[in-house]
Amino acid sequence: MENCFFKRDVISIENFSREELDYLLDYAAELKRNSSKFKEVMNGKVLVPLFFENSTRTSMSFKMAMHHLGGSVLDFDTDASSLKKGETLSDTLKMVEGYFPDVVVLRHSKDGAAQLAADILSVPLINAGDGQNQHPTQTMLDLFSIKEAKGEVDNLEIGLVGDLKYGRTVHSLAIALSKYKNVKIYFVSPESLKVPQSFLNELREKGVIFFEYGLEELENVAKKVDILYVTRVQRERFPEGPEGEEEYQKVTSRYCLKKAMLDGVRANLKIMHPLPKVDEIEISVDSTPYAYYFEQASNGIHIRKALLYLTTTK
Ligand code: NCD
């Protein structure tokens, strides 16, 4: 297959076919196996990271990925930028465009910010998370990790747990899973953080088999899945003001995956989490063979190297 990522924006997981995702995952696997071969391939190229929301893993792994490939990263601090003086995102992007970057990575709190940026920029724009909408590179590394642990994504039973209303990682992942065969999704969430109806309709149209459960079913669901993907309640996604605070207080610290719940789970269960985790997984779970989240996070570097390289190199 030819490099189908060249000059392409990465806005939503929806835009990529299963074949294209497979191509990327295979490429990332080759980068993981053979990293020394790719040490200089981005020599002379510059990444502009624009993180307008907090980030540890995504930001760090994109920057490290660029360094590993021999490219450079613009040292740009969004906190100290003119956005603080009231400059619009589009004006900032028009200016960035004028300085000839090779690739731009954007994280922003507004749904749709990535598309807006891509419409302004002529170089590839990679979405590192836009509001509640999408987090495609997280999903790519999730798929990579699932494939590495299980050999395939087809035919798996996957539990998605936590904030399914606002969580962009689960939104992206559920759409991605619809591209694979015979995957069953078990949604587990507090009543007020269920997957939005419109989203469920979309999954239904795509032929995805899914089931919805309340938090009391967490332990039972843990016993019938191959992957349990846990997410935190994200305070920053709730509406501002007293109503948002009230909604948040009702659900915060209401669920926790405990080690004791893992008796009788499938022998090769993998527990995943996009991180950061707060209190939704008991710390003692970290040392069980089921905990997979730190390896999952580490796989981010291979996927992001593959994306940076493939979007900028023919
Ligand atoms: C996630 C995000 O930003 O959506 N984090 C990440 O990129 N690994 C999940 C989260 O913040 O809860």
Side-chain angles (χ1 to χ4, degrees), residues 195-213:
V195 187
Q197 257 322 311
S198 58
F199 196 81
L200 289 182
N201 293 340
E202 205 179 317
L203 292 180
R204 221 172 266 122
E205 274 165 32
K206 292 181 190 299
V208 180
I209 305 165
F210 62 82
F211 309 90
E212 284 188 281
Y213 296 97

Side-chain angles (χ1 to χ4, degrees), residues 57-58 107 135 138 168-169 232 234 236 274-276:
R57 276 148 292 274
T58 310
R107 169 170 286 194
H135 195 346
Q138 176 70 44
R168 57 193 175 198
T169 57
R232 73 182 168 106
Q234 304 171 66
E236 68 274 30
L275 302 179

Side-chain angles (χ1 to χ4, degrees), residues 154-307:
D154 294 324
N155 304 314
L156 292 180
E157 297 187 86
I158 301 185
L160 300 182
V161 181
D163 181 355
L164 308 180
K165 178 178 178 184
Y166 297 116
R168 57 193 175 198
T169 57
V170 281
H171 294 161
S172 280
L173 183 56
I175 294 286
L177 293 175
S178 75
K179 297 174 191 279
Y180 292 84
K181 285 191 211 105
N182 191 32
V183 173
K184 291 195 184 77
I185 306 181
Y186 299 81
F187 293 117
V188 183
S189 69
E191 181 61 30
S192 62
L193 296 179
K194 282 167 79 172
V195 187
Q197 257 322 311
S198 58
F199 196 81
L200 289 182
N201 293 340
E202 205 179 317
L203 292 180
R204 221 172 266 122
E205 274 165 32
K206 292 181 190 299
V208 180
I209 305 165
F210 62 82
F211 309 90
E212 284 188 281
Y213 296 97
L215 290 175
E216 65 290 351
E217 290 298 319
L218 176 57
E219 187 167 349
N220 285 335
V221 169
K223 294 190 194 336
K224 58 179 163 204
V225 293
D226 304 293
I227 301 280
L228 194 64
Y229 192 101
V230 185
T231 62
R232 73 182 168 106
V233 176
Q234 304 171 66
R235 173 67 191 96
E236 68 274 30
R237 301 268 170 258
F238 287 69
E240 278 174 28
E243 272 172 37
E245 183 56 30
E246 199 183 318
E247 190 190 343
Y248 171 70
Q249 287 305 333
K250 278 192 199 142
V251 288
T252 182
S253 302
R254 290 296 190 282
Y255 59 96
C256 179
L257 181 70
K258 300 204 163 74
K259 192 175 174 185
M261 295 176 170
L262 300 175
D263 283 345
V265 295
R266 291 184 178 165
N268 56 356
L269 168 74
K270 291 289 177 233
I271 301 167
M272 298 176 67
H273 193 304
L275 302 179
K277 60 184 171 69
V278 187
D279 58 6
E280 59 283 350
I281 297 183
E282 201 175 60
I283 290 171
S284 56
V285 173
D286 290 3
S287 53
T288 67
Y290 311 113
Y292 191 44
Y293 23 87
F294 294 117
E295 281 157 277
Q296 173 192 359
S298 151
N299 282 331
I301 190 104
H302 313 298
I303 278 292
R304 289 174 175 133
K305 277 168 83 171
L307 278 171

